[in-house]
Amino acid sequence: MKKLTISFQNCFGINKLDCEMDFSRCNACTIYARNGMMKTSFSNTFQCVQDGKEHDIRDKIFDLPAVVDIKADGNEISPQDVFVIKSFESYYESKNLAALLVNSSVKAMITDLLNLQKDIFAALSKKSGIKIEKTVGGRKIPDMEPILIRDLQLKHESFLLSLDHIQIDEQQPYFGDIKYNDVLDEDVVSKVILSDEFQANIDQFLQKAEEICKKNPFLSMGKLMIPGLSKISTELKKQNFFVNDNQLQLTGGVSISSTAALEDTLKQITKELNATDEFKRLAKVLSDARGMALRRVLESHAEIIPYLAKNRLDEFKILLWNSYLIDLKDEFQALKNLYNSVKKKLSEEKFEQTPWEKALAIFNSRFSVPFTMEIANKESAVLGESLPRVEFRFEKKGVDNDVVMNRSKLEQLEILSQGEKRALYLLNIIFDIEQRQMLGQDTLYIIDDIADSFDYKNKYAIIEYLFDLKQNSQNNLIILSHNFDFYRTVSSRLGVLRKNRLIAENTNDDTIRLRQETYQKVFFKVWREKLDNPKYYLAMIPFVRNFIEYGYDYSVLQTKFDCNDFNVLTSLLHLKAITEQITIEDISQLYNKYLFGDENNVSNPNDYQARQSIVECLNEEAGKIEQNSVSLENKIILSMAIRLSAEDFMIGMIQSKGNKFEEPDSNQTRYLITKMKKDNYLDSKRDADIFRILDAVNIVTPEQIHVNSFMYEPLVDMDIIELLELYNQVKNLNALWARNHCE
């Protein structure tokens, strides 16, 4: 792919986004987007494309249909060419592990094997009433197979691996028309069947049933009862047994000459069983909602009652599954035959360096976790009939025996940190990526904050893995992050071209714009070299203040202002007694000292005179900033102007009451806002809108103004539009107060 064009509208949280990404010279693109702007919506949109669920994309809040147009080199992008890697999905498991464990020569056989098992499971599910899967904690897990394995007392936790131990016995009593869930629902078994009242009545019913069998000697309790005869009747009817006056002779001198006669006999016996007091007492126990399904079964299949005794329930479970498999004996035998063929084929293959082991080796060599991993169910995993079950081995010095546990146990004990849980998620992602690499599949990777919550060592391991991905020309990467440090690092380490390093911003019409990032390297050096630019000149004030704070204060301006240089610069971030007196000439002296070592390299910024006050310059430059002026220096200037204007308003309120303002030692903005509330300079109800503006000033400007060369993410995060709106609101505080108090 050389060029990707994207047009989104009403895509989850994205109102509108139009962009073009050029991969012709660099197959990676990095996007920095502050929290809540676009990352999740962007990845969710591509996830729907990947899953073929474009119809699910919409603005969910306002229920507006989406417009999604994604073209790769002018053609609609194909879902199979997209792979989304989200920040974290706790239950994510790769769907491609079976393919990673075998080569192409046996994949077709395994596919046929799994499809045949799937058909048998579907039939067993229909007969038993047990769902093949159930959802637990947002993850689908097998439901029927574990029950089947438990009931048949199989050694392996796998139906396929246990096939040789499953034998169908057609001589056993047949109960194929009884649903497992109608009789052996866990709630019914524990609260009804195993109750003392139900168990006490079983023996009495059996005595009565034996009496009925003696009256009908062709029956035998537990061996040949109503279902057995019913099955015989169905088979005789199918084979046209009763043609030419053929008759069925039953023990006791009973002669049956038609299917209808045999069915009438069965109905009469069933009716007699159900009419007994003993049966009625059993049925009474089943009169509540839990037991109604079982009661209906017993009304037509009273012969199963002996198997509901505590000591025969396990036997009954086996008989039920055996009955179902009798009806599927041809399909079951075909499954056995194919399974044995696959086993033989696999025994001839070599698995020293499967893609699975390669992926595991990549993970173990790069990422730092307190355990090692290995496949516990390798045979089952190689067959692909179940996901490879990873076991986690923990070692401890001084302890001879390692501790090994599976993922469920690990999650149950809650011993993994969030970062370690994310490492497991990442392992499964690596499996899926290696599968795509193995197939040589062109892929557009959408990578959403994959390093979030990792420590630095693992973050760099992720970056190195992304670097490896980038080396494959069949891969194109779009890496999104809300962490500016990670964004800068991954852009640098992957060698992403500057035009492919993007910053996401909101425009005034709620459109998201991706612009080229301009601060990949430390920007203070650029400002220092171009101090004739008024905005660079003013934006350097908080940086030099931090420089003095962390270094040495020479008190260059001590004579003029009777305070050290740090406090002089603080007086341009908070309104102090000397603020209006500080001039261009004063600040130039400080720049010469602290930035150039007394080399006198600093002249006046363009269009300003040496004796002009800094506050005057600051307000003039702030007034020139527009909504597309997104550079950091503009954000710093606005932040300074906002705070000074807000404090000027609050100090003016104090002085208007005839009071003197005493400057606090620290946190002046917060101090003033608290004073406005506490001393009733503003009315909490009438001036609620003013308090809202002042609170915004206190929240926003500290992170904007206290800036140093190590961390300036808050500056990038703050939208220029928000700052401009706040600046205009602060400038109008006096007018707003006058309006509130004139009404």
Side-chain angles (χ1 to χ4, degrees), residues 42-236:
F42 189 86
S43 60
N44 283 345
T45 301
F46 271 96
Q47 184 72 66
C48 288
V49 172
Q50 175 185 335
D51 296 339
K53 297 180 179 179
E54 290 91 338
H55 55 277
D56 289 345
I57 306 171
R58 62 192 306 102
D59 184 319
K60 290 193 173 183
I61 295 177
F62 297 100
D63 196 28
L64 298 173
V67 176
V68 179
D69 186 16
I70 306 172
K71 286 188 170 61
D73 297 330
N75 301 312
E76 293 292 332
I77 198 163
S78 175
Q80 59 264 29
D81 292 340
V82 176
F83 185 71
V84 176
I85 305 174
K86 293 191 175 180
S87 175
F88 178 54
E89 293 179 281
S90 58
Y91 292 112
Y92 183 90
E93 288 182 322
S94 171
K95 299 177 182 178
N96 297 304
L97 297 189
L100 292 175
L101 291 161
V102 294
N103 61 37
S104 58
S105 65
V106 292
K107 282 181 183 177
M109 293 177 66
I110 289 177
T111 299
D112 292 341
L113 183 69
L114 294 178
N115 286 338
L116 185 51
Q117 179 186 245
K118 183 179 178 182
D119 292 341
I120 291 175
F121 275 10
L124 288 174
S125 177
K126 185 176 181 180
K127 287 177 174 295
S128 67
I130 303 173
K131 292 182 179 180
I132 296 176
E133 294 179 326
K134 62 182 177 181
T135 302
V136 177
R139 176 176 60 174
K140 287 188 175 181
I141 62 173
D143 188 18
M144 185 182 70
E145 185 177 15
I147 296 173
L148 179 58
I149 291 168
R150 179 200 65 197
D151 291 350
L152 296 181
Q153 300 169 20
L154 302 175
K155 295 181 180 179
H156 297 285
E157 295 181 6
S158 158
F159 183 73
L160 275 183
L161 296 183
S162 304
L163 285 178
D164 291 339
H165 304 285
I166 303 173
Q167 302 298 326
I168 298 175
D169 188 352
E170 296 190 65
Q171 301 305 313
Q172 292 292 329
Y174 175 83
F175 303 116
D177 53 348
I178 297 175
K179 285 188 180 295
Y180 185 106
N181 260 4
D182 288 346
V183 181
L184 297 173
D185 175 83
E186 290 185 7
D187 201 35
V188 174
V189 170
S190 62
K191 297 181 180 179
V192 179
I193 295 177
L194 294 180
S195 68
D196 293 340
E197 186 178 4
F198 188 87
Q199 291 293 316
N201 285 317
I202 287 179
D203 290 338
Q204 297 173 19
F205 172 79
L206 291 179
Q207 292 176 10
K208 191 65 179 180
E210 288 291 351
E211 293 176 13
I212 294 174
C213 285
K214 287 179 181 178
K215 290 168 53 180
N216 301 278
F218 52 86
L219 296 176
S220 176
M221 199 66 186
K223 293 184 178 179
L224 180 63
M225 286 296 289
I226 307 301
L229 280 176
S230 180
K231 187 178 180 184
I232 291 171
S233 175
T234 301
E235 192 63 28
L236 291 177

Side-chain angles (χ1 to χ4, degrees), residues 337-350:
N337 295 339
L338 184 54
Y339 170 69
N340 289 325
S341 297
V342 170
K343 277 210 317 183
K344 182 180 178 182
K345 183 70 175 176
L346 288 174
S347 67
E348 301 168 356
E349 298 292 326
K350 295 182 179 180

